[in-house]
């Protein structure tokens, strides 16, 4: 099926292994989610003292009975397997990494160019499944052969082999992808080592589940060595730094994740997931209308997402904000915001041997490749059989054009660019200047405004004035430095653009200590005078991902 179906566990009997799922589905073909009377699903649990740890477990071909309970409501009555160990079609046993079993994975996608880290989710002598960040999945395609798969176990032992990507899909709801990898070109030595690692993993899983009474201790493979202990300690410290996200921040982050899921479907399934992208647009509009200032604040917390994702969601979000401020009944808002959201998708579509990553400082040849992203996206949409509306297409095509003809891909000028495009181009230009790019540090809002103003022949000055009036010199979501040595996120501003509410997150006299304290302007004397806007990366202020 093109999309995963979300379901809730409504009943489980551990004694009999009966599990009941409830799902809502408006289509007529829900039975296609079952194959030969079986269903495959992931269960994701968010746990820990602050809900900052994930535990995800996949089950394949579980016997299930489908019952319709209402017009769009269904129950799936499942009979869980007696063992957690799955016998594959080739006769091998697949060992799930459950109940805290951990091993790290590194996928060398391009030789000496790009390696992607992940976590091992299951292992057999034929291959493994790893989960990686959605952001890293753009470089990987189904049936792609990769020069290296390295598994590193807690005690420090490692296994290396060449691999082939067999499948890739979204994994859970928190920004990860599952990658199925087949081991290829194994030598006799590699095969023998792999059999030992699978055997030890089976022993560890049996011990943790209590499936074998004779197992009374951990496998040596899973006893953390000094290196693993340091990594675990660092990860625990990172989780402690992360404050609980607000519903608004989670909503914005979900849009960023869904945008990447949509890209995955375009790349790996030859499908344009129209529903996913329109859901993203509708979510952005809903969040703007629900609480505009909280939404603008939440947009800042994308600064650790991939640049193309952050840029797309922030530009689309601000475009929705400004268009709705102009006319809340404008019938073109939805399609214009969709165009802004899709505009940068051509960049990850260009990732390949010549452009192995979008994260690196690019050479001139790679920059030239990247300038073709608009054409690449439009060609991909045509291949997938999806035709954007005139408004959507206009934004996709013209967002990089400039009034003086210095833009790309067509070098359009002046009156050839609509009011909407003039607005998008100013939002994009300022957003680009406010963030680090190709080794160039970010500008302050004031400097960004000045640079766009100095390029007056390229941008509409009236739109720049409108933008500054909307967001001010200290925009909501920027990081302000105060004379008392405190750093604080700007949460609200007054009519003159001055901060009236901030969230203090760092005292530079105690840089290793994290704070989360909201202050109103009447209490700013506690942290000193406002000095200016600073770059979060310069002070190690970042968002920690679940």
């Amino acid at each position: 099926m093109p999309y995963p179906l979300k379901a809730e566990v409504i009943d489980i009997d551990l004694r009999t292994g009966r599990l009941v799922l409830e799902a809502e589905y408006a289509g007529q073909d829900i039975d296609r989610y079952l194959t030969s009377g079986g269903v495959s699903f992931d269960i994701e649990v968010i746990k820990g003292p602050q809900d900052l740890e994930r535990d995800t477990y996949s089950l394949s071909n579980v016997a299930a009975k489908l019952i319709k309970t209402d017009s769009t409501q269904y129950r799936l009555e499942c009979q869980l397997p007696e063992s957690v160990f799955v016998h594959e079609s080739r006769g091998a046993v697949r060992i799930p990494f459950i109940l805290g079993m951990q091993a790290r994975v590194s996928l060398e996608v391009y030789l000496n160019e790009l390696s992607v880290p992940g976590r091992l989710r299951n292992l057999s002598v034929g291959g493994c499944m790893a989960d990686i960040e959605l952001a890293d999945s753009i470089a990987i395609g189904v049936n792609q052969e990769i020069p290296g798969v390295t598994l590193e176990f807690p005690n420090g032992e490692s296994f290396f082999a060449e691999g082939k990507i067999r499948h890739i899909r979204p994994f859970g709801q928190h920004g990860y992808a599952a990658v199925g990898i087949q081991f290829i070109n194994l030598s006799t030595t590699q095969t023998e080592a792999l059999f030992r690692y699978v055997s030890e993993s089976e022993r560890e899983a049996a011990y943790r589940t209590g499936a074998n009474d004779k197992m009374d201790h951990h496998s040596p493979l899973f006893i953390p060595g000094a290196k693993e202990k340091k990594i675990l300690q660092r990860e625990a410290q990172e989780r402690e730094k992360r404050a609980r996200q607000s519903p608004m921040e989670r909503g914005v982050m979900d849009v960023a994740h869904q945008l990447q899921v949509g890209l995955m479907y375009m790349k790996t399934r030859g499908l344009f997931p129209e529903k996913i992208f329109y859901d993203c647009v509708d979510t952005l509009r809903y969040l703007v209308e629900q609480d505009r200032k909280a939404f603008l604040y939440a947009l800042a917390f994308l600064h650790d997402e991939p640049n193309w994702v952050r840029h797309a969601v922030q530009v689309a979000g601000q475009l929705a904000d400004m268009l709705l401020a102009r006319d809340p009944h404008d019938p073109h808002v939805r399609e214009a915001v969709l165009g802004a959201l899709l505009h940068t998708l051509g960049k990850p579509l260009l990732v390949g041997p010549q452009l192995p990553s979008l994260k690196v400082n690019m050479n001139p040849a790679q920059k030239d490749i990247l300038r073709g992203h608009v054409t690449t996206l439009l060609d991909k949409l045509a291949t997938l059989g999806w035709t954007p509306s005139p408004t959507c297409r206009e934004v996709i095509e013209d967002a990089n054009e400039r009034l003086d003809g210095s833009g790309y891909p067509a070098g359009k000028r002046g009156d050839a660019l609509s009011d909407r495009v003039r607005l998008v181009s100013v939002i994009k230009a300022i957003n680009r200047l406010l963030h680090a790019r190709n080794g160039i540090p970010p500008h302050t809002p004031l400097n960004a405004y000045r640079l766009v103003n100095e390029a007056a022949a390229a941008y509409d000055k009236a739109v720049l004035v409108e933008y500054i009036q909307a967001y001010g010199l200290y925009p909501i979501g920027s990081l302000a430095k105060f004379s008392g040595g405190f750093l604080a996120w700007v949460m609200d501003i007054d009519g003159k653009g001055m901060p009236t509410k901030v969230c203090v997150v760092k005292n530079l006299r105690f840089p290793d200590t994290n704070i989360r304290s909201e202050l109103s302007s009447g209490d700013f004397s506690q942290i000193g005078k406002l000095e200016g806007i600073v770059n979060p990366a310069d002070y190690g202020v970042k968002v920690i991902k679940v």
Side-chain angles (χ1 to χ4, degrees), residues 93-114:
V93 178
R94 190 191 322 149
I95 312 302
F97 277 48
I98 53 175
L99 299 177
M101 285 176 67
Q102 284 210 62
R104 303 182 189 279
V105 181
S106 177
L107 307 179
E108 189 173 17
V109 182
Y110 300 112
L111 190 62
N112 302 324
E113 286 279 355
L114 176 66

Side-chain angles (χ1 to χ4, degrees), residues 140-211:
I140 298 171
V142 176
N143 294 324
Q144 178 179 345
E145 292 191 2
I146 57 176
V149 181
T150 302
L151 311 182
E152 187 166 349
F153 294 91
N155 73 339
E157 290 189 52
S158 63
F159 170 78
F160 175 85
E162 295 173 49
K164 184 173 185 177
I165 307 298
R166 305 304 300 181
H167 67 78
I168 183 167
R169 61 180 175 79
F171 195 54
Q173 295 295 311
H174 294 86
Y176 293 86
V179 183
I181 306 141
Q182 177 187 354
F183 299 131
I184 59 174
N185 303 326
L186 294 173
S187 67
T188 303
T189 305
Q190 285 174 308
T191 302
E192 289 174 353
L194 184 57
F195 268 101
R196 185 172 76 82
Y197 291 133
V198 171
S199 175
E200 288 297 310
S201 299
E202 183 174 11
R203 174 182 164 184
E204 179 70 14
Y207 168 67
R208 294 193 183 218
T209 59

Side-chain angles (χ1 to χ4, degrees), residues 140-415:
I140 298 171
V142 176
N143 294 324
Q144 178 179 345
E145 292 191 2
I146 57 176
V149 181
T150 302
L151 311 182
E152 187 166 349
F153 294 91
N155 73 339
E157 290 189 52
S158 63
F159 170 78
F160 175 85
E162 295 173 49
K164 184 173 185 177
I165 307 298
R166 305 304 300 181
H167 67 78
I168 183 167
R169 61 180 175 79
F171 195 54
Q173 295 295 311
H174 294 86
Y176 293 86
V179 183
I181 306 141
Q182 177 187 354
F183 299 131
I184 59 174
N185 303 326
L186 294 173
S187 67
T188 303
T189 305
Q190 285 174 308
T191 302
E192 289 174 353
L194 184 57
F195 268 101
R196 185 172 76 82
Y197 291 133
V198 171
S199 175
E200 288 297 310
S201 299
E202 183 174 11
R203 174 182 164 184
E204 179 70 14
Y207 168 67
R208 294 193 183 218
T209 59
N212 188 334
D213 295 338
K214 295 178 182 178
M215 301 291 181
D216 57 0
H217 60 277
H218 288 287
S219 158
L221 203 63
F222 290 88
I223 297 174
K227 179 182 176 182
E228 179 69 10
K229 284 179 179 176
K230 283 184 179 178
I231 294 173
L232 292 173
Q233 185 179 20
R234 188 170 67 243
E235 289 176 345
Q237 290 170 346
E238 290 290 297
R239 283 197 296 269
E240 287 175 14
K241 291 178 186 177
R242 180 186 180 276
R244 191 187 299 272
Q245 287 181 325
S246 70
M248 184 68 77
E249 290 161 24
R250 171 52 61 193
V252 168
M253 197 68 76
D254 282 347
V255 171
H257 292 162
Q258 288 305 304
L259 184 62
Q260 295 171 81
V261 169
L263 172 71
M264 184 189 294
Y265 286 140
M266 290 172 65
K267 286 190 65 176
T268 63
R269 303 192 184 185
L271 167 79
F272 182 80
E274 186 176 43
K275 183 180 183 301
I276 286 179
F277 292 131
Y278 273 112
D279 280 350
C280 289
V281 171
D282 294 341
T283 298
L284 289 176
R285 177 166 187 164
Y286 169 76
L287 295 177
V288 171
E289 293 175 333
Q290 185 183 47
D291 187 337
R292 174 182 177 265
K293 289 183 175 180
F295 171 70
L296 295 176
Y297 181 63
L299 283 179
F301 289 87
L302 295 173
H303 57 67
D304 287 330
E305 290 296 302
N307 268 338
W308 71 269
V309 177
R310 176 200 51 72
H311 184 70
V313 177
Q314 289 179 341
V315 169
Q318 285 191 317
L319 179 63
D321 178 46
M322 294 190 73
L323 287 176
L324 290 169
R326 285 179 172 184
D327 178 4
H329 306 294
D330 182 353
H332 297 285
V333 170
R334 193 177 193 231
E335 293 299 321
V337 174
L338 178 64
L341 205 58
L342 297 179
H343 172 78
T344 57
L345 281 186
K347 292 182 179 182
L349 288 173
L350 284 165
V351 169
Q354 303 304 313
L355 186 65
S357 174
L358 298 177
K359 296 179 181 179
V360 297
N361 295 336
M362 297 180 191
N363 59 40
Q366 290 172 327
K367 290 179 184 177
D368 198 49
I369 291 172
L370 203 61
R371 283 175 68 90
H373 73 89
V374 174
T375 304
T376 298
L377 174 61
L378 291 172
D379 288 347
K380 184 67 172 179
L381 295 179
T383 300
L384 299 178
W386 187 76
T387 304
S389 70
T391 298
C392 178
R393 188 180 187 94
E394 174 189 67
V395 174
I396 292 173
E397 282 187 349
D398 297 347
N400 289 326
E401 301 289 2
R402 302 290 174 260
L403 294 175
D404 60 0
S406 62
Y408 66 92
K412 294 181 182 179
R413 309 175 69 94
D415 292 341

Side-chain angles (χ1 to χ4, degrees), residues 25-180:
Y25 188 71
Q28 302 298 314
D29 55 353
I30 189 171
D31 56 310
R32 290 182 60 195
Y33 281 95
L34 280 73
T35 305
S36 303
V39 65
S40 299
F41 53 86
D42 301 325
I43 295 179
E44 184 175 49
V45 180
I46 304 301
K47 61 180 186 178
Q50 288 185 300
D51 288 347
L52 298 181
E53 299 173 51
R54 289 186 314 125
D55 201 2
T56 314
Y57 179 42
S58 298
L59 286 160
S60 301
N61 302 318
V62 174
K65 181 181 178 183
L66 182 67
I67 301 169
K68 188 169 186 174
T69 58
D70 202 345
S71 57
T72 59
Q73 292 286 330
Y74 295 86
R75 286 164 63 101
L76 278 162
E77 296 187 353
C78 307
Q79 183 60 47
L80 296 175
E82 293 183 9
S83 170
V84 296
F85 306 123
V86 179
H87 288 270
E88 297 180 325
S89 55
R90 295 186 295 274
V93 178
R94 190 191 322 149
I95 312 302
F97 277 48
I98 53 175
L99 299 177
M101 285 176 67
Q102 284 210 62
R104 303 182 189 279
V105 181
S106 177
L107 307 179
E108 189 173 17
V109 182
Y110 300 112
L111 190 62
N112 302 324
E113 286 279 355
L114 176 66
S115 289
V116 171
R119 287 187 286 187
L120 196 60
R121 288 301 180 182
N122 65 46
L123 178 66
S124 75
V125 293
C128 65
M129 187 173 84
D131 83 29
I132 63 174
E133 292 205 12
L134 270 174
D136 292 324
S137 69
I138 64 171
I140 298 171
V142 176
N143 294 324
Q144 178 179 345
E145 292 191 2
I146 57 176
V149 181
T150 302
L151 311 182
E152 187 166 349
F153 294 91
N155 73 339
E157 290 189 52
S158 63
F159 170 78
F160 175 85
E162 295 173 49
K164 184 173 185 177
I165 307 298
R166 305 304 300 181
H167 67 78
I168 183 167
R169 61 180 175 79
F171 195 54
Q173 295 295 311
H174 294 86
Y176 293 86
V179 183

Side-chain angles (χ1 to χ4, degrees), residues 403 426 452-454 456 458-468:
L403 294 175
V426 168
V452 173
N453 184 59
E454 289 173 354
Y459 301 101
D460 190 320
K461 210 166 217 178
V463 172
L464 174 60
V465 171
E466 181 186 2
Y467 183 99
I468 296 172

